[in-house]
Amino acid sequence: MGQLILDVDTGVDDALALMLAARHPGWNLRAVTCVAGNTSLEGVVRNTLTVLEAVGATSVPVAAGAARPLLEETRDAGHVHGGDGLADLGWVPSARKPEAIHAVELLRREILASPEPVVLVPLAPMTNIALLLRTYPEVAANIGQIVFMGGSAAVGNASPVAEFNVWHDPEAAQIVISSGLPITMYGLDVFYSVAIEALDIELLRESDDAGCRLSGHLLTHLAKVNADDFRLTSPGSAGIGDAGAVCAVIDPEGLVTHRHRVEVSLSNPLTRGQTVVDRRTKASEATLAHGYLSRDSIDVALGVDGRRYASLFLDTIRSHDGK
């Protein structure tokens, strides 16, 4: 069984990713760590515990981490995820408390204790992960892969060129991307291409299973928020967003990736947070003279089988449905 750890800023689509990871029979969700991003750190912890309880994963340890980026002030995405970060559904929160240790300590503990290399899936600003790699570099030996949701080889969403998670903490993203670990960037180039149809969303909402119902309500919220998005497959459909990165871990054959060198823009205010993906086949004058884009290559996702991943998501979420 594969060993999995998620780092989240829950978040509507983080919630979908948590449910998928917790319910897939081929993976052991060892831990979930929380960071400020889509909403405040306190809200992220609350939402994470609530979602895990909805899918019966109450034994998965959860810890709070960084409350702000390494350098920037924190900035949320309430206009997408609602005031509470969980679509303002009024879902009854879990009474469970997080671990009494920092997220970085929980990450270290679980990675070093794992019987096989862990797949680490950051679905949020990568502040916790950067702090982990800088504080405890020995964990790298037992990290098999990092699959992060973030970045873009084309356009951004937080800015014309920057995706939200990387834009929120560019320095942290650069530390992780340049770590030398095996990395897959699941960015905006594929983010919108895995969608659940309206009929399936309705069936989820009507389920007797709490996890299915919650996922249905969250997808309904996303369908409304993104109703005018031309990338959706049909009216009333909704993308699963971050959950697609978990699909890529479970079923990597559904993802098309290419090896490219990637750097994060840190200084220019117009491009800060941009993932600069070098898709050229030959070195340029600037590269040769100044060493630009000199890092090791990572796997950049540029295509995805949307139907395949949508089916994977639905089959896994419905696996506990009594109907």
Side-chain angles (χ1 to χ4, degrees):
M1 179 178 287
Q3 305 295 313
L4 188 65
I5 296 176
L6 267 57
D7 185 73
V8 298
D9 59 342
T10 319
V12 174
D13 54 340
D14 300 75
L16 299 174
L18 284 166
M19 287 188 263
L20 175 61
R23 284 202 161 168
H24 196 276
W27 290 85
N28 173 34
L29 182 59
R30 295 189 63 90
V32 179
T33 50
C34 301
V35 65
N38 286 326
T39 190
S40 67
L41 180 62
E42 179 183 11
V44 171
V45 172
R46 179 193 64 240
N47 293 344
T48 300
L49 292 169
T50 297
V51 170
L52 290 174
E53 184 162 307
V55 292
T58 54
S59 63
V60 177
V62 174
R68 54 164 292 170
L70 296 177
L71 300 182
E72 299 275 11
E73 296 297 326
T74 188
R75 299 162 288 187
D76 67 33
H79 62 290
V80 175
H81 299 273
D84 66 353
L86 207 59
D88 294 318
L89 296 177
W91 203 268
V92 178
S94 172
R96 186 160 70 108
K97 301 297 182 184
E99 300 283 301
I101 57 175
H102 193 277
V104 171
E105 301 298 330
L106 179 61
L107 286 164
R108 177 181 181 273
R109 184 186 84 187
E110 293 300 320
I111 291 170
L112 294 180
S114 176
E116 58 186 88
V118 167
V119 177
L120 186 56
V121 186
L123 303 173
M126 288 192 277
T127 317
N128 286 339
I129 311 305
L131 291 170
L132 170 73
L133 295 176
R134 284 291 194 258
T135 308
Y136 300 115
E138 67 271 19
V139 301
N142 209 32
I143 297 175
Q145 184 184 17
I146 294 176
V147 179
F148 77 92
M149 190 283 117
S152 172
V155 299
N157 57 2
S159 82
V161 294
E163 176 276 331
F164 177 82
N165 286 341
V166 176
W167 171 83
H168 194 271
D169 196 340
E171 282 75 18
Q174 177 64 16
I175 288 170
V176 175
I177 288 171
S178 63
S179 66
L181 288 165
I183 292 176
T184 296
M185 184 176 97
Y186 186 97
L188 297 183
D189 311 281
V190 292
F191 182 84
Y192 299 101
S193 300
V194 185
I196 307 301
E197 298 298 322
L199 177 59
D200 288 313
I201 295 173
E202 182 179 352
L203 292 173
L204 287 170
R205 285 201 317 268
E206 295 175 351
S207 172
D208 293 331
D209 173 74
C212 288
R213 287 200 309 277
L214 178 55
S215 66
H217 285 293
L218 294 172
L219 286 164
T220 298
H221 171 82
L222 288 174
K224 292 176 181 177
V225 169
N226 299 312
D228 59 349
D229 195 322
F230 70 92
R231 292 162 294 202
L232 294 177
T233 54
S234 62
S237 65
I240 65 172
D242 287 359
V246 178
C247 289
V249 173
I250 297 169
D251 180 16
E253 296 302 315
L255 198 64
V256 177
T257 64
H258 296 274
R259 299 283 294 175
H260 294 299
R261 290 169 294 183
V262 178
E263 294 269 358
V264 181
S265 175
L266 300 177
S267 58
N268 189 329
L270 291 175
T271 62
R272 183 165 167 77
Q274 179 184 15
T275 44
V276 183
V277 179
D278 186 1
R279 301 172 72 171
R280 300 167 299 171
T281 58
K282 294 182 179 180
S284 71
E285 292 79 7
T287 304
L288 294 171
H290 304 291
Y292 296 152
L293 299 171
S294 60
R295 303 291 185 183
D296 292 336
S297 297
I298 67 172
D299 291 314
V300 178
L302 296 175
V304 64
D305 188 335
R307 291 185 178 181
R308 178 169 171 162
Y309 279 5
S311 294
L312 170 59
F313 175 83
L314 283 171
D315 290 346
T316 304
I317 296 300
R318 289 170 173 166
S319 61
H320 292 231
D321 194 343
K323 290 186 177 180

